[in-house]
Amino acid sequence: EGDLFEYRHMRNELSPVGVGTIKNEQATINHCMKFANIHKHTNFKTFRFRKLSSKGDATGRRDTFTEAEYERLIKFMRMWVSKKECPNEKQRLERQLIQDFILISCNTMMRIGEARQLRLGDIEHYEEGIDELGKKQLLVKLNIRKETSKVREARNFITRGGRYFQRLIERHGLTKPNQLLFSMDGIKSLPKYKWTAHWKALMEGSQIENHKERKIQWYSCRHWAITLRVQHGVDLAVLSKMSGTDASNIANTYYKFRDEHSRFASLQSRPKNKDIDKISTT
């Protein structure tokens, strides 16, 4: 009866999952036990499980995606913005804006408020670079104004994802420095209810389990970007300058995540022609 008391710990040693998944699995197990008990296959009705709490999640996971979830999100968005799935041109353009917002956020580490207030004039220049896999990347230099920063400090940095900026600007015909990038008219950002509705559609369409309970939100795109760079050993001082947060905060927040995923990654064989960059493309 007490053999599965530490079920959450046992389950997360196999593969990290959210609290909601654990609850569902425990409920399923005990439904089976009740059935078995009715038919005299067991001498007790249910296992005893340790009480679950979303605080201090045993996975050590910050509220962001797993690699599999992010890959599903990218794949779903390709279909979601297609003419077949969304024939209305205006609605499709709005979905494409959301798609580019996610891709840019997951590449630049910007805070959500910083990204939504980004203007055309905040883009300083583009430049080409070669990544560690020998693949060409279009880099972009961004200026984050202090009035849009959470910590009220301006910063500028070079980041990947330049082609998403170029695509977004071309689609919306932006030409003036003061025009908002993530806006349908260059003046006003999308209303809050639309950001909420689009996120819900993307989470459900991507089959990201328990996203509400795990608090997988727009801010998770920033967490994803920082997490990937931590995993790949980018210097904390560099990450601090790019993301606009203290190096100590990055270490305290993301290195737990890194240990978990580094251990997993070390046991994987890398398939041919597949690399981390592919899940950041459309």
Side-chain angles (χ1 to χ4, degrees):
E1 189 174 358
D3 283 352
L4 297 184
F5 187 72
E6 296 293 349
Y7 179 81
R8 182 182 188 180
H9 176 73
M10 296 158 61
R11 177 66 171 83
N12 282 315
E13 283 189 332
L14 295 175
S15 59
V17 292
V19 177
T21 299
I22 298 291
K23 287 180 178 179
N24 290 338
E25 291 178 356
Q26 291 180 172
T28 300
I29 290 170
N30 274 339
H31 280 307
C32 293
M33 289 303 297
K34 288 177 182 178
F35 178 85
N37 182 257
I38 289 172
H39 292 277
K40 311 300 183 183
H41 297 307
T42 66
N43 59 0
F44 61 94
K45 292 183 178 180
T46 58
F47 285 104
R48 289 186 292 107
F49 297 110
R50 181 184 291 278
K51 186 177 179 180
L52 291 173
S53 170
S54 58
K55 295 182 179 180
D57 194 334
T59 66
R61 179 165 59 205
R62 188 69 172 176
D63 50 343
T64 192
F65 321 99
T66 64
E67 289 188 13
E69 288 171 339
Y70 184 71
E71 192 166 2
R72 290 203 304 273
L73 174 61
I74 296 302
K75 289 180 179 178
F76 177 74
M77 285 196 298
R78 294 194 194 108
M79 179 273 294
W80 189 63
V81 301
S82 67
K83 191 173 183 179
K84 180 180 179 180
E85 178 68 19
C86 186
N88 183 287
E89 186 175 352
K90 184 176 181 180
Q91 291 178 0
R92 188 166 68 254
L93 187 63
E94 185 172 297
R95 289 187 179 188
Q96 289 170 334
L97 181 146
I98 294 294
Q99 179 192 37
D100 284 334
F101 183 91
I102 289 174
L103 292 169
I104 286 171
S105 297
C106 288
N107 276 276
T108 63
M109 300 184 287
M110 282 190 290
R111 295 180 177 90
I112 300 307
E114 294 170 348
R116 290 182 184 176
Q117 297 179 77
L118 203 65
R119 299 183 182 276
L120 183 60
D122 295 325
I123 298 175
E124 187 169 313
H125 68 260
Y126 299 95
E127 60 183 73
E128 289 189 351
I130 305 295
D131 65 20
E132 73 280 6
L133 298 169
K135 185 175 180 179
K136 288 184 178 179
Q137 295 288 342
L138 184 62
L139 306 178
V140 57
K141 185 170 184 180
L142 301 175
N143 291 314
I144 305 299
R145 289 166 281 128
K146 66 178 182 179
E147 60 266 27
T148 68
S149 171
K150 176 182 176 181
V151 295
R152 292 296 181 263
E153 291 183 4
R155 70 183 191 279
N156 58 72
F157 58 96
I158 296 173
T159 180
R160 64 193 300 156
R163 64 195 184 93
Y164 303 128
F165 283 96
Q166 288 189 338
R167 181 172 69 181
L168 177 68
I169 291 166
E170 183 179 351
R171 280 174 178 165
H172 290 268
L174 302 177
T175 58
K176 299 178 181 178
N178 65 339
Q179 287 182 301
L180 288 173
L181 293 182
F182 298 105
S183 166
M184 294 298 288
D185 59 6
I187 301 172
K188 296 180 180 179
S189 179
L190 293 178
K192 184 177 180 180
Y193 78 89
K194 286 197 171 186
W195 289 104
T196 301
H198 285 311
W199 188 257
K200 180 181 179 182
L202 290 171
M203 293 299 98
E204 292 178 353
S206 305
Q207 298 180 340
I208 296 179
E209 285 189 338
N210 308 304
H211 64 275
K212 288 185 178 179
E213 188 168 27
R214 290 166 55 197
K215 297 184 180 179
I216 305 294
Q217 302 165 342
W218 283 106
Y219 210 82
S220 300
C221 297
R222 169 176 161 90
H223 292 325
W224 172 255
I226 297 176
T227 297
L228 280 187
R229 284 164 174 79
V230 169
Q231 288 178 345
H232 284 77
V234 177
D235 185 85
L236 288 186
V238 175
L239 283 181
S240 176
K241 292 292 185 182
M242 293 177 69
S243 63
T245 191
D246 290 341
S248 60
N249 181 52
I250 295 175
N252 293 333
T253 302
Y254 297 95
Y255 264 73
K256 293 178 183 177
F257 196 101
R258 181 189 180 189
D259 288 346
E260 169 194 321
H261 284 72
S262 294
R263 187 177 299 108
F264 175 80
S266 296
L267 299 175
Q268 306 306 302
S269 297
R270 179 175 168 183
K272 291 183 178 180
N273 300 322
K274 184 176 182 181
D275 55 68
I276 195 67
D277 184 63
K278 286 189 176 181
I279 64 172
S280 296
T281 61
T282 56

